[in-house]
Amino acid sequence: MKTYYITLILFLFHFSARADDFSPASWQPGLHLFAGGGLNSSLYTSDTERVEGGVGLNMKTDLVYFFNDTWAADWGSSVKFARIDGFLLWDTQFTLGVRRRLSSIDIWDLANPYVRVFAGKSPTVIFLDGNELPGRNQDGDVNRMQFDGTVYGVTFGSMTKTAAGTTWFAELSLSLQQFERESEIKMDGEVPVVTHEGPVQANANMYTVTFTIGALIF
């Protein structure tokens, strides 16, 4: 275990120096990590209902490999928290994406813009605390529902580098999550037990808008 942590520290130290070399205006081949946080808002729809969620928080990381000055590929993870119909929602997106650098948009003074398209899997957990979701017949001891499915989306972003050498980014993402399977989970002491599992019957989807601000880590 000690060897693992030493290797990890050396790995991060090795790549941290590369953060100063990264230029948002001229991508160079290499591997970089970005991380940030922000706000999100979701809309849940199904054959029987339509529920607008409030504003919640989100955190994300993207490990990006830049091929050249125009194209890059990434593996990303995003965690968001929100309230849907009064229930706490914890949603995680694991995605693969492709991004392309765009020309500067002078009319908005938007320097170093880029676009990203992505797809992946997204487990979504709704905490019930003994209550029932509207329109469902559930046992009163169900603690949470988990929905698993596919996520698709697009991101519009911009990067800038400060005089101190820090590279910042701002992103606006739109995503569609298609819920395909659902599980009812109750707690047996400290152990989660799945009491029901099957396909989602109500053609359920969630649309999310996310705004994120972050920085280049290495």
Side-chain angles (χ1 to χ4, degrees):
M1 183 62 70
K2 182 184 294 186
T3 302
Y4 169 79
Y5 285 114
I6 293 175
T7 302
L8 179 60
I9 292 172
L10 291 176
F11 176 81
L12 294 178
F13 179 78
H14 171 72
F15 280 102
S16 62
R18 299 177 60 183
D20 293 336
D21 298 333
F22 180 81
S23 172
S26 179
W27 293 356
Q28 299 295 322
L31 184 68
H32 296 280
L33 177 67
F34 296 82
L39 302 175
N40 75 86
S41 183
S42 298
L43 170 66
Y44 171 84
T45 66
S46 69
D47 292 338
T48 58
E49 60 183 331
R50 173 189 173 99
V51 182
E52 295 182 7
V55 176
L57 300 177
N58 72 277
M59 300 172 290
K60 72 168 298 187
T61 58
D62 287 326
L63 187 62
V64 187
Y65 185 81
F66 295 87
F67 295 103
N68 50 43
D69 186 37
T70 305
W71 294 98
D74 59 65
W75 180 86
S77 63
S78 175
V79 179
K80 69 174 186 283
F81 303 91
R83 286 201 171 270
I84 297 291
D85 205 18
F87 296 99
L88 176 63
L89 179 145
W90 180 359
D91 179 75
T92 307
Q93 297 180 358
F94 300 103
T95 59
L96 293 174
V98 176
R99 58 181 69 192
R100 186 184 194 280
R101 194 168 72 88
L102 305 174
S103 301
S104 297
I105 305 176
D106 295 333
I107 189 173
W108 292 332
D109 195 25
L110 188 62
N112 309 310
Y114 58 91
V115 61
R116 174 186 185 241
V117 293
F118 59 89
K121 294 295 182 181
S122 179
T124 301
V125 178
I126 300 177
F127 293 90
L128 304 179
D129 294 327
N131 299 309
E132 294 184 6
L133 288 175
R136 302 181 66 94
N137 184 18
Q138 296 172 317
D139 294 333
D141 59 353
V142 173
N143 297 98
R144 61 182 185 262
M145 292 284 300
Q146 178 169 323
F147 297 92
D148 295 284
T150 307
V151 58
Y152 307 94
V154 60
T155 296
F156 300 94
S158 175
M159 287 189 287
T160 185
K161 193 168 187 176
T162 67
T166 302
T167 298
W168 294 93
F169 71 88
E171 293 182 345
L172 182 67
S173 295
L174 309 174
S175 66
L176 163 64
Q177 292 168 246
Q178 299 175 326
F179 295 149
E180 297 161 356
R181 294 192 63 82
E182 64 181 32
S183 304
E184 295 181 3
I185 302 171
K186 71 175 183 178
M187 298 301 296
D188 183 6
E190 298 295 327
V191 180
V193 178
V194 177
T195 59
H196 169 76
E197 185 176 11
V200 175
Q201 302 292 338
N203 189 29
N205 300 292
M206 187 162 63
Y207 303 87
T208 301
V209 178
T210 303
F211 178 71
T212 306
I213 296 177
L216 172 67
I217 306 302
F218 68 72

